[in-house]
Amino acid sequence: MNARKPVAWMSTKFPLEIPAALGMEVICPESAAAAAAGKGESGRLCRRAEGLGYCADLCSYVRMGMALAWDGGLPKPDVLLCCDNICSGMVQWYEAMARTLQVPLVLLNFPYRQSQVSQGQVNYLLGQLKAAIRQLEELTGQQWDPQKFQEACLWEERSARAWQRVLDCAMARPSPLRSMEIFDYMPLMVTGRCRPEMEERLLELARELAARRPEGEEYRIYWEGTPCWPVLGQVVELLDKRHIRVVADPISHSLGFCCQDLESLARAYCETINGVSLEEGVAMRAKLCWRYGVDGVLVHYNRSCRPWCGDLQEVERRLRDELELPVVSFDGDQGDPGAFSPAQFETRLDTLTELMAARREAR
Ligand code: SF4
């Protein structure tokens, strides 16, 4: 008897509760691309995708994901699960992977919104969610069990609370979390947050972090955007050299979902970071800057991610004006090492350090 669980490749903000309730194994190609970039493989994977005809202007996660799909770098999926609540380019990416891998694609369309989520939008999503569940029932041979779905939601809520405890370790001064260290733990939440064991694992991590006695933090910053994975070590070294510590970022804070039924699930997944209005996006960032007591903001203009960077200049301006914080930006990429200039990064960091020092003195 074949005991292998059905495998799904899933976009980061697809409702994980659904494949979890159906007992599926879930892999996130964006996390896999980030991990490959962290191991220094992104340049090779991007060039491989370009050789296959995927243009260099595409997001580097898309290029790396296509290379992994072609070359078999991940366990082969039985189905792809995608939704466009953070990025519409994701749809074309998953369609291309579905054609390459010759597996079905389950797609959820989230309408863009400027204000509160309307009941009409929720109904539209409920129809799609029910159709997706039927499609996955057929594919897995499993019947949808509302009890299992409730359990997945419950474990997810507990994981979200425990994850917040981990994130809040950075409120201590100095923060026990090294700059960018939080991103090492992010995959636990991306694909593992509906598992029963995750709550205790995260609480144990929070206890370990709280027991640390760190030294050397002078400035606390909010990092806006995705890390530059291929040069992460270099970035951390340059931050440490200036006694700057990253204590908050938008991505690690976007992973805790809480829902009790399909309707609250539909609402929760409308609230993803690129899916909210400019006002909500600024308010969310301002809240993080206040909560973690930052001295400044460093903005990463990630060449890959146009949906993220489109309104960043206005976000920058508002954070600078409304919070009266120094805000400095630099250019880079989450996956393509060629888009990062160490010289520019150092110059911008020096500017940020000077501005933070001047602000502190003025106070
Ligand atoms: S463009 Fe941005 S949101 Fe879209 S897949 Fe790439 S990194 Fe993700």
Side-chain angles (χ1 to χ4, degrees), residues 38-282:
K39 286 189 230 148
E41 291 169 11
S42 54
R44 178 184 63 78
L45 291 170
C46 285
R47 302 296 89 82
R48 165 72 176 135
E50 288 154 29
L52 290 165
Y54 296 97
C55 107
D57 287 329
L58 284 170
C59 161
S60 51
Y61 281 178
V62 174
R63 281 177 283 154
M64 284 191 266
M66 287 312 304
L68 290 169
W70 272 88
D71 295 343
L74 295 171
K76 190 169 184 311
D78 299 291
V79 63
L80 304 184
L81 309 174
C82 176
C83 59
D84 58 1
N85 51 0
I86 53 170
C87 164
S88 53
M90 194 86 85
V91 176
Q92 283 78 30
W93 174 21
Y94 274 68
E95 283 174 345
M97 287 200 294
R99 282 194 299 273
T100 304
L101 295 157
Q102 299 189 320
V103 293
L105 168 64
V106 174
L107 194 58
L108 300 177
N109 169 234
F110 281 68
Y112 186 71
R113 65 186 181 83
Q114 282 288 350
S115 54
Q116 295 299 309
V117 183
S118 70
Q119 191 57 44
Q121 283 171 331
V122 171
N123 293 343
Y124 174 63
L125 285 163
L126 279 176
Q128 294 181 69
L129 288 167
K130 287 175 186 164
I133 289 168
R134 281 196 298 274
Q135 215 177 328
L136 291 174
E137 277 181 323
E138 271 176 38
L139 198 111
T140 58
Q142 299 281 325
Q143 216 187 341
W144 180 252
D145 180 347
Q147 177 72 29
K148 286 196 175 142
F149 173 61
Q150 290 288 327
E151 282 166 15
C153 294
L154 181 74
W155 291 121
E156 180 177 52
E157 191 175 336
R158 291 185 174 192
S159 300
R161 279 205 294 265
W163 181 240
Q164 192 60 49
R165 293 266 292 272
V166 173
L167 296 170
D168 282 350
C169 289
M171 287 168 97
R173 289 171 183 263
S175 162
L177 276 151
R178 292 184 295 275
S179 287
M180 307 298 190
E181 184 185 357
I182 194 67
F183 293 107
D184 291 347
Y185 311 122
M186 226 165 54
L188 298 177
M189 284 298 281
V190 174
T191 52
R193 62 182 185 271
C194 295
R195 289 196 202 134
E197 70 274 16
M198 201 49 66
E199 179 191 26
E200 188 43 44
R201 204 161 156 194
L202 292 168
L203 289 175
E204 180 57 34
L205 173 61
R207 286 191 287 271
E208 272 175 40
L209 292 170
R212 285 186 190 169
R213 293 285 169 263
E215 287 176 2
E217 168 192 288
E218 202 166 328
Y219 298 109
R220 301 163 63 82
I221 64 165
Y222 167 78
W223 174 286
E224 171 59 45
T226 313
C228 311
W229 298 114
V231 289
L232 201 63
Q234 196 177 0
V235 163
V236 172
E237 203 180 302
L238 293 171
L239 290 164
D240 286 350
K241 208 167 125 190
R242 290 160 181 82
H243 306 291
I244 296 174
R245 194 154 304 185
V246 175
V247 293
D249 73 275
I251 301 181
S252 58
H253 281 268
S254 72
L255 302 173
F257 288 92
C258 291
C259 45
Q260 303 75 42
D261 50 31
L262 285 180
E263 177 154 345
S264 55
L265 178 147
R267 287 183 183 278
Y269 283 85
C270 286
E271 305 285 342
T272 58
I273 186 149
N274 286 354
V276 298
S277 66
L278 174 65
E279 280 67 28
E280 286 172 276
V282 171

